[in-house]
Amino acid sequence: MKLLLVTRTQRPEGRVAQTRKTIEVDWVRVGRNASCEIHLPDARVALEQGMIVNRDGLVYLEGEAGSQDITRKSVRSVRMKPGEPIDVGPYRLEAIPAPEGYDGAVSVEKARDADVAPDFASRVSRTTLRSIGMTKRRAAWISIFVIAVLFFLVPAGRVLDLPWREAAMTLGIGDRFWNPGPLMLGHQPIAAKCAACHEVAFQQVKDRACLKCHEKIGEHVAPAMHPAALFEGARCASCHREHKGAKATHRDDDGMCIACHRDIHAKARDAKSGNVSDFAKAHPKFRLTLPTGGHGLKFPHAVHLDRKGVKSPGKGRVVLECASCHKPDSSGRLMQPIRFEKQCQECHRLDIEPAVMAREVPHGDPAAVAAMIDEFYANLALKGTRDSFQKAFGVPGEGLLRRAGAASEGEREDALRMASRKAAKVTAELFDVRVCATCHEVSHAKDWKIAPVRASNRWMPGARFDHKAHASAKCADCHDVAMSKTLRDVSMPSIETCRECHAGSAPTEKKVTSNCLLCHGFHDPRYTWGADAK
Amino acid sequence: MRHYSILEYASFRWFKAAIALVATASAAYLWHEPPLKPYGGTWLGYTLGTVGAILIVWLMAYGIRKRRYASTVGTVQGWLSGHVYLGTALIVVVTLHTGFELGWNVHTLAYVLMLLTVVSGMYGVFVYLRVPGAMTSNLGEDTLDAIVLRVGDLDREMREKAMSLPDTLFALVDKSVHGSRLGGSLQRIVSGADPKCPTAAAIREWPQHAKRLTGDAAKLDKQVFGLLLQKNQLLERARRDLRYKAILDMWLYFHVPLAFMLLAALVVHVVSVFIYW
């Protein structure tokens, strides 16, 4: 068969180009295979889709769908006629009048869009993180927004009085996240109320906020002594930094004390304290607070601490120890003051005349003592039994009112005169010799007088001392009174005694490191803050 | 010519500056006697905090400076060198500013964000020291654009030739031409692989479909298979390149938003501290 193949191609500009080709084969294969006589390069065409044969005219045959074997049963058989094109994939095949010398002629043109390979480059556009829509800017803005709202706008609602104040407060997260650290134990109950201390936004906490509760806290020195420049700018918070932990209240070293007390007179001309920079190296000697005008008591420690004991009225000889009289107070820090009734009276009885009757005078009131003795003997003279009457007055008889019959006025006066004489004698003896004078200075002008007793219980009021903390030491280590015959022997320890165990601020072997605050406090409760505190 | 990294810039000028800053801050911290214990509110605390805040603002200004091509305020190299070294020194300055006082609050939030930002930046430095070498050995003299164009050429050639191959083989080629992708999703960009790549699939499946071919078809089949192999290799290299570029970019998606988060937390920290002075 000799076939003319006319391929029509639509050019972009619209013109139709034609190529002509003569094919001489028995049958003409149609397919996308390059070896096909009618080569239709398109994915929509099968490799060898069909063929054209000459059976008294051109016939187009196709095998089973998808089959490449044309000997199989034909499924399509079309006689090709001009004006009746057949579609093979996107191509259109049509018989056209055959020129001279040809068995037939076929035109081929593309009826639909060409099957072109997609351009790879045009599909490669999303190759970077930015190109797939990831932006840093959005993440940055979102994070700024979240932090600003959550950690600033909401918490600041209350303190800056923003419109959402109430809402922010009911939310409860409030300014909790602004708290920079745990409060001192005592302040923890008000931890959620920032405004209790932080009264005004953007202003430092004022002393008056502290003094609302701590009204009893003392100033350091008497307000009159305040050299204006000295404490200028100092606030409670200068030393007391809050939000620094449950137990942290202030710094515990000497730096801030010594800053002034190294040369205290340069800071405060009238200061009564001496210069100090370290307990071990530079600390003034202890100055005791002694009663002015004498102590007024006769008390030999030596007699009371006699190893052989002292005579007691009821228990024979009793060996006394320090603790027999000196008892710690309830805090254990200091000793209770000595009281006659508690510590002395058991031995030092205030008997009027023990041989007659066990009766003691009251302690501390000379007039009452004299009156009581008067009454005692008057009573004996009037109502005394025969025995006591005789012992008291040294003459036989009995109380006037015990005798038979009514006593005459004269007898009464006699009896009372006798009683009064005896009372005067006993009173003088009790005050001057037997009882009072044992311990007291007694004088007798118009009335009996006892010199005032001025016992000191706080010898060093400027220092904090804790007996309990020193319980491992013996009393005599610090208070050596065993040989003392008079109360004029003051037996408070000297600084040297303390230094035997206490070092200064620098740690020292076998000694207690001792800084200022170990013994001294800053606040003096005698000097309360004035109403003008800022 | 020997390549100087930004770490060596101007004979380690910024390294020395960072060391000086760290040494000064540490010495001051050791010498300082705070009223109770070290924290941000002592005079040294305020000083270190101010230095830290200024540093943070300056470090963030690098993002502006590197976009100002016309600027002559130092060189971008110098800025980056300083950014790296002073950013690292920031950890010390700010840690000393905290006085090691940390808690569940906005102040520690700012501190932690600072640490995260610096650490992400350190990772960035690490990446910039390592990855460019790997990129060069992967692409050689090629560029990604050239590879993409060559893949396009291969596609055309391969498809044309495959027209004469049986349907199954042509289908494999056609899928490779239509379906091969570069990037397109975060997972594919970052992993540098496409487990569903039709080109690789075509290579895997090719032999079983091609073994019965003979003659011209067998010859053509060999050619097309060769083209497929070439294409696959090009795709793999291109994907590795995308991955490397993504690695060079990825840390910035943490570093930059973290830095802005830090800036916000820093402002809140400073303002809140002075509201409750």
Side-chain angles (χ1 to χ4, degrees), chain B residues 244-257:
Chain B
Y244 287 140
K245 280 182 185 146
I247 289 174
L248 286 182
D249 271 357
M250 181 71 99
W251 65 277
L252 275 168
Y253 285 85
F254 296 95
H255 189 65
V256 171

Side-chain angles (χ1 to χ4, degrees), chain A residues 295-297 440-443 449-454:
Chain A
H295 46 79
L297 197 68
H440 296 286
E441 316 257 351
V442 181
S443 59
K449 263 195 152 165
I450 304 290
V453 174
R454 300 185 193 88

Side-chain angles (χ1 to χ4, degrees), chain A residues 403-422:
Chain A
R403 297 176 199 163
S408 69
E409 193 60 28
E411 281 173 322
R412 276 171 191 269
E413 280 175 12
D414 282 347
L416 287 179
R417 220 177 354 260
M418 177 182 69
S420 173
R421 265 202 312 274
K422 173 72 181 185

Side-chain angles (χ1 to χ4, degrees), chain A residues 32-34 43 47 115 120-121 123 126 134 143 147 151 158 175 177-179 202 204 241 244 250-251, chain B residues 33-37 39 105-107 151 159 163-165 167 177-178 180 184 253 261 268 274-276:
Chain A
R32 64 160 208 269
N33 197 333
L47 187 66
D115 165 32
F120 186 63
R123 284 186 293 129
R126 287 152 61 80
M134 284 175 64
S143 41
I147 288 199
F151 294 104
R158 189 197 58 74
D175 19 28
F177 291 118
W178 287 4
N179 184 347
F202 296 110
Q204 291 188 313
R241 303 286 170 125
K244 293 284 152 290
H250 53 76
R251 214 167 93 160
Chain B
E33 284 191 24
L36 181 53
K37 50 179 158 174
Y39 74 107
N105 50 46
V106 70
H107 319 293
V151 169
R159 191 163 187 276
M163 287 280 181
S164 302
L165 288 176
D167 283 347
V177 170
H178 279 93
S180 295
Y253 285 85
M261 224 192 264
V268 174
F274 287 109
I275 284 180
Y276 286 161

Side-chain angles (χ1 to χ4, degrees), chain A residues 433-486:
Chain A
V433 183
R434 186 163 50 84
V435 178
C436 303
T438 313
C439 307
H440 296 286
E441 316 257 351
V442 181
S443 59
H444 183 208
K446 197 170 141 236
D447 300 310
W448 293 100
K449 263 195 152 165
I450 304 290
V453 174
R454 300 185 193 88
S456 177
N457 209 43
R458 294 292 306 271
W459 301 88
M460 304 179 195
R464 290 187 289 225
F465 184 83
D466 187 352
H467 274 101
K468 199 169 52 181
H470 293 77
S472 59
K474 291 197 193 84
C475 304
D477 291 350
C478 301
H479 306 287
D480 187 9
V481 291
M483 308 305 282
S484 163
K485 293 202 168 60
T486 156

